[in-house]
């Protein structure tokens, strides 16, 4: 509330959330988001690892919404709204022709993205699935944007030379119940010995069922070869912000 969330009188629009508010206590299906203004150039030009977090804090005009508690798919929808209203829906991305190995530029439109609609979660925003290898029944919850940031920060401070256990960290946050038990110690032990087939099954299930925008596009390379690409939120997405 120390940021733009108090600026209810500033120009804004209502952005529908891919999650439909299912995972939130307030159950909001859409939230008020402000347009990028000249003052936001300070955030954009400052850059840094927390650019997205600071931008969202400044532009979400809702007193009961914390950026860290939003689902990743909802964060992506808000970022696309900010980009589209500031620079238009056309986005240029850098690719490599798979036939000639030569780089080329392609354009995608960010107003043509659809919402992935998979399995409907329970009323508490969780999924219950049976694992194919261990035959265990688990209850899953999607990670919040804050939890994703937390894993990223943990990875940055992990000792050099050691394998960063990102998969294990993520599973420990996603799995909240194992065969009817919520004991975190038992869940942690189960994850350490989980068959890789079950781990991949969980990852694929979440990718296919967590409400989010479908960011895949099919493009034509100069050679005529078709490419299926995932429109990410890296350099190509944020580049126009630095042209201000």
């Amino acid at each position: 509330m120390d940021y733009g969330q108090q600026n209810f009188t500033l120009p804004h629009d209502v952005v529908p959330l891919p999650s439909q508010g299912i995972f939130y206590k307030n159950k909001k299906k859409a939230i008020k988001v402000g347009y990028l203004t000249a003052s936001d150039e300070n955030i954009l030009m400052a850059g840094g690892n927390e650019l997205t977090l600071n931008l969202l804090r400044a532009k979400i005009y809702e007193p009961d919404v914390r950026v860290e508690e939003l689902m990743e798919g909802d964060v992506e929808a808000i970022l696309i709204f900010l980009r589209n209203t500031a620079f238009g829906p056309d986005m240029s991305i850098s690719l490599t022709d798979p036939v000639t190995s030569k780089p080329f530029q392609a354009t995608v439109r960010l107003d043509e993205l659809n919402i992935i609609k998979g399995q409907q979660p329970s009323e508490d925003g969780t999924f219950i699935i049976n694992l194919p290898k261990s035959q265990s029944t688990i209850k899953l919850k999607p990670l919040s944007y804050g939890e994703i940031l937390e894993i990223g920060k943990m990875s940055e401070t992990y000792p050099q030379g050691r394998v960063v256990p990102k998969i294990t960290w993520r599973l420990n946050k996603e799995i909240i119940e194992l065969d009817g038990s919520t004991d975190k110690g038992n869940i942690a032990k189960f994850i350490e010995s989980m068959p890789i087939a079950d781990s991949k099954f969980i990852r694929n299930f979440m990718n296919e069922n967590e409400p989010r925008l479908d960011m895949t596009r099919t493009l034509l390379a100069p050679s005529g070869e078709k490419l299926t690409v995932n429109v990410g939120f890296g350099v190509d997405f944020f580049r126009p912000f630095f042209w201000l």
Side-chain angles (χ1 to χ4, degrees):
M1 290 183 65
D2 294 332
Y3 296 85
Q5 295 178 0
Q6 294 178 331
N7 300 324
F8 300 108
T9 60
L10 295 178
H12 65 271
D13 207 335
V14 178
V15 178
L17 301 177
S19 72
Q20 291 289 294
I22 293 173
F23 304 95
Y24 309 135
K25 292 180 181 179
N26 59 28
K27 300 300 180 183
K28 286 187 176 180
K29 296 182 178 181
I31 59 176
K32 301 182 184 71
V33 180
Y35 300 109
L36 289 176
T37 64
S39 63
D40 297 317
E41 187 173 0
N42 297 314
I43 299 174
L44 299 171
M45 296 307 294
N49 294 332
E50 295 195 347
L51 184 153
T52 299
L53 186 61
N54 292 333
L55 192 63
L56 293 171
R57 282 174 172 169
K59 305 317 297 183
I60 294 177
Y61 297 169
E62 299 280 358
D64 59 344
V65 172
R66 292 186 69 249
V67 174
E68 291 86 350
E69 295 175 354
L70 291 173
M71 295 292 104
E72 186 176 23
D74 292 344
V75 167
E76 292 173 352
I78 295 169
L79 290 175
I80 288 175
F81 164 81
L82 291 173
R83 191 188 191 284
N84 286 356
T85 53
F87 307 107
D90 289 339
M91 174 178 166
S92 179
I93 56 176
S94 302
L95 299 169
T96 300
D97 193 315
V99 176
T100 64
S101 298
K102 293 181 178 179
F104 70 98
Q105 294 288 314
T107 300
V108 297
R109 290 186 63 85
L110 296 179
D111 60 349
E112 299 174 349
L113 299 171
N114 299 315
I115 296 176
I116 296 174
K117 295 181 179 179
Q119 179 177 316
Q120 186 77 2
S122 304
E123 290 185 3
D124 61 353
T126 61
F127 299 96
I128 296 177
I129 63 172
N130 295 314
L131 298 178
K133 192 71 174 178
S134 64
Q135 297 298 305
S136 293
T137 300
I138 62 172
K139 180 182 285 189
L140 295 168
K141 74 171 187 64
L143 297 190
S144 67
Y145 182 60
E147 288 174 319
I148 293 171
L149 291 178
E150 181 184 348
I151 291 175
K153 290 180 179 179
M154 289 168 60
S155 301
E156 293 173 0
T157 59
Y158 208 69
Q160 290 187 350
R162 296 180 60 185
V163 177
V164 181
K166 285 185 179 180
I167 302 299
T168 304
W169 289 341
R170 188 176 185 100
L171 288 170
N172 270 291
K173 291 182 180 295
E174 288 177 328
I175 301 175
I176 60 174
E177 187 176 297
L178 169 65
D179 293 327
S181 172
T182 58
D183 185 280
K184 292 183 179 180
N186 288 338
I187 292 174
K189 289 179 181 178
F190 173 77
I191 290 172
E192 287 296 332
S193 59
M194 177 187 294
I196 194 170
D198 286 349
S199 176
K200 292 182 67 175
F201 182 82
I202 293 171
R203 187 159 57 253
N204 290 335
F205 178 88
M206 296 304 282
N207 287 338
E208 294 170 1
N209 293 282
E210 183 179 346
R212 64 192 316 136
L213 296 174
D214 183 0
M215 302 294 286
T216 59
R217 310 305 275 167
T218 300
L219 304 171
L220 198 64
S223 64
E225 188 79 5
K226 286 185 178 180
L227 288 176
T228 299
V229 299
N230 185 66
V231 182
F233 291 82
V235 175
D236 287 323
F237 183 85
F238 286 106
R239 184 175 289 121
F241 289 160
F242 302 103
W243 293 346
L244 291 172

